[in-house]
């Protein structure tokens, strides 16, 4: 929009890449860190963020802000697309009470891959609710633990109650090319959205 | 605006010539009251919120003056965590990478990066356009990922 008047300082400095990011969300133990590690140029790094008391207070409805703090771990990796473009992947647990952190993660993200273990579908509900609410392009990636799915993708789509516009793909979090293909489906959705076309 | 405010604890550490005054003297550098500095959580008064919202996890950070040694007059007066940030950012690093490499909490890292920018040590490459999800950028990511085998 106002790009013409105010040139992006990053573009005028070729040594500093434009950072873009994809969020990898889902419940605990569904394969988020594995997904990030499979595609990243570097071994996944971990950082911690401390939840504020206010954030706890919002979550614990009815419970007045307690003097406790919770530390949330977040992993990330990156893929250097070229010298001027760097893709970051942020993997973060999908509890609804971590919403404050998702705002930072999701702002300006190209999209989100919601990783699902077909044995524990309800673990991903907070993530799906969040991305539906914020309007960030997302797809559901069903991580095929042991090479098998306990449910067909159509059953999973039905159980998750997501629109037909949202792609549901099967992938293997341990396989680089499989993660790549899941991300390409997500980026196709994001591209359609950016072009103003109906997705799917 | 985000560049304007220098937090009180950093004022004594800001190189004077940044503001047109004389360079710091040896006497100032040697002052033990200046080199005795509190740890980051104390430095930030536990602040992990209310930071500049344009400083995000992926935001790129570079040292304003490259090639500074850890024992240079300017850097040696910084708390070690802040000095390490400046030294690390001789190359562009994201806020998340800085936090991970230096084992700092994300919130603390954002505060320290914002403070170091205000004090003139760092450039924080904030994007002008709110949304990078342009078809052009997305297509470049698609092309880049497609090349992965
Ligand atoms: N067999 C199998 N194990 C997996 C797969 N994906 C992840 N795991 C394992 O499941 C565990 C949890 O994965 P992790 O990526 O740490 O989950 P996270 O909590 O979502 O980050 C780890 O021990 C992984 O090695 C998979 O596709 N197949
Ligand atoms: Mg993990």
């Amino acid at each position: 929009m106002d790009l013409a008047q105010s040139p992006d300082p990053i573009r005028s400095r070729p040594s500093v890449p434009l950072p873009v990011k994809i969020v990898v969300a889902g419940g605990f133990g569904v394969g988020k860190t594995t997904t990030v590690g499979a595609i990243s140029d570097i071994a996944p790094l971990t950082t911690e963020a401390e939840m504020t008391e206010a954030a706890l207070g919002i979550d614990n409805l009815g419970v007045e802000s307690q003097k406790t703090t919770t530390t949330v771990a977040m992993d990330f990796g990156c893929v250097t697309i070229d010298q001027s473009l760097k893709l970051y992947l942020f993997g973060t647990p999908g509890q609804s009470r971590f919403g404050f952190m998702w705002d930072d993660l999701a702002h300006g993200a190209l999209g989100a891959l919601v990783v699902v273990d077909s044995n524990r579908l309800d673990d991903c509900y907070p993530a799906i609710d969040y991305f539906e609410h914020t309007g960030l392009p997302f797809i559901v990636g069903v991580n095929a633990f042991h090479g098998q799915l306990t449910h067909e993708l159509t059953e999973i789509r039905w159980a998750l109650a997501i629109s037909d516009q949202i792609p549901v793909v099967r992938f293997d979090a341990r396989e680089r090319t499989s993660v790549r293909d899941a991300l390409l489906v997500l980026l196709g959705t994001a591209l359609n959205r950016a072009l103003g076309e109906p997705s799917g | 605006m985000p560049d304007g405010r220098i937090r009180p604890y950093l004022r004594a550490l800001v190189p004077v010539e940044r503001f047109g005054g004389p360079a710091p003297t040896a006497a100032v550098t040697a002052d033990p009251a200046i080199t005795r500095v509190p740890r980051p959580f104390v430095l930030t008064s536990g602040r992990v919120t209310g930071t500049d919202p344009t400083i995000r996890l992926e935001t790129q950070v570079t040292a304003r003056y490259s090639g500074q040694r850890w024992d240079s007059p300017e850097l040696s007066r910084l708390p070690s965590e802040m000095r390490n940030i400046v030294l690390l950012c001789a190359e562009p690093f994201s806020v998340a990478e800085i936090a991970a490499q230096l084992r700092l909490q994300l919130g603390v890292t954002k505060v320290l990066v914002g403070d170091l920018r205000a004090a003139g040590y760092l450039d924080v490459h904030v994007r002008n356009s709110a949304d990078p999800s342009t078809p052009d950028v997305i297509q470049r990511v698609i092309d880049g990922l497609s090349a992965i085998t």
Side-chain angles (χ1 to χ4, degrees):
Chain A
M1 29 166 215
D2 58 350
L3 267 179
Q5 296 121 292
S6 49
D8 195 326
I10 287 170
R11 289 187 190 187
S12 61
R13 284 185 56 136
S15 59
V16 179
L18 174 70
V20 293
K21 61 183 171 182
I22 289 175
V23 181
V24 179
F28 285 105
V30 297
K32 299 181 300 295
T33 305
T34 308
T35 300
V36 171
I39 195 83
S40 176
D41 293 340
I42 58 168
L45 295 166
T46 300
T47 59
E48 292 187 337
E50 190 161 274
M51 286 176 64
T52 61
E53 287 173 27
L56 283 172
I58 289 164
D59 179 48
N60 298 340
L61 294 171
V63 182
E64 273 311 307
S65 65
Q66 296 167 327
K67 291 285 175 190
T68 48
T69 53
T70 303
T71 298
V72 184
M74 184 195 69
D75 325 292
F76 68 96
C78 62
V79 178
T80 300
I81 301 293
D82 58 49
Q83 280 202 333
S84 61
L85 188 60
K86 196 165 177 181
L87 171 66
Y88 289 90
L89 295 126
F90 290 104
T92 189
Q95 308 311 108
S96 51
R97 65 201 177 104
F98 300 157
F100 81 104
M101 199 164 87
W102 284 5
D103 289 342
D104 191 7
L105 281 171
H107 182 99
L110 299 179
L113 171 65
V114 178
V115 182
V116 169
D117 177 347
S118 62
N119 282 320
R120 300 179 285 131
L121 287 181
D122 49 344
D123 284 5
C124 70
Y125 292 166
I128 288 178
D129 285 347
Y130 180 83
F131 296 123
E132 278 183 340
H133 179 71
T134 58
L136 190 74
F138 74 97
I139 69 163
V140 172
V142 184
N143 187 13
F145 276 88
H146 311 298
Q148 293 182 358
L149 293 183
T150 45
H151 303 280
E152 294 298 323
L153 291 182
T154 46
E155 289 178 52
I156 291 171
R157 173 189 295 285
W158 180 84
L160 296 179
I162 50 175
S163 88
D164 290 343
Q165 256 71 22
I166 308 295
V168 178
V169 302
R170 172 200 165 128
F171 81 114
D172 187 327
R174 299 162 300 178
E175 288 288 332
R176 188 171 171 81
T177 52
S178 183
V179 171
R180 173 200 67 189
D181 291 343
L183 294 180
L184 287 172
V185 171
L186 168 62
L187 288 164
T189 303
L191 183 59
N192 284 337
R193 184 83 62 87
L195 291 168
E197 294 169 8
S199 53
Chain B
M1 183 61 205
D3 268 292
R5 213 168 95 73
I6 296 176
R7 298 188 196 283
Y9 76 87
L10 260 183
R11 277 183 204 135
L13 301 175
V14 173
V16 186
E17 78 273 22
R18 296 258 194 282
F19 301 102
T25 64
V28 171
T29 314
D31 186 344
I34 289 176
T35 52
R36 218 171 36 234
V37 290
R39 311 324 300 163
F41 266 117
V42 180
L43 289 175
T44 65
S45 313
R47 281 175 296 135
V48 292
T49 56
T51 51
D52 181 349
T54 62
I55 301 179
R56 312 204 72 95
L57 296 172
E58 71 279 15
T59 300
Q60 302 288 303
V61 179
T62 51
R64 189 163 289 178
Y65 302 97
S66 58
Q68 294 212 56
R69 288 163 50 93
W70 67 271
D71 56 352
S72 69
E74 296 180 351
L75 294 192
S76 64
R77 296 189 304 150
L78 287 175
S80 61
E81 286 81 1
M82 301 182 98
R83 187 167 62 212
N84 289 340
I85 292 174
V86 177
L87 291 173
L88 183 68
C89 293
E91 285 174 49
F93 271 97
S94 66
V95 169
E97 282 168 300
I98 293 169
Q101 296 284 353
L102 302 180
R103 299 177 194 279
L104 294 167
Q105 281 213 347
L106 280 169
V108 172
T109 307
K110 285 188 187 179
V111 172
L112 296 181
V113 164
D115 289 357
L116 282 168
R117 170 177 61 180
Y121 287 94
L122 294 178
D123 284 316
V124 179
H125 303 273
V126 174
R127 286 193 297 248
N128 283 346
S129 52
D131 189 4
S133 303
T134 63
D136 168 57
V137 168
I138 296 169
Q139 190 60 56
R140 283 169 66 199
V141 179
I142 289 174
D143 294 344
L145 280 182
S146 299
I148 289 178
T149 51

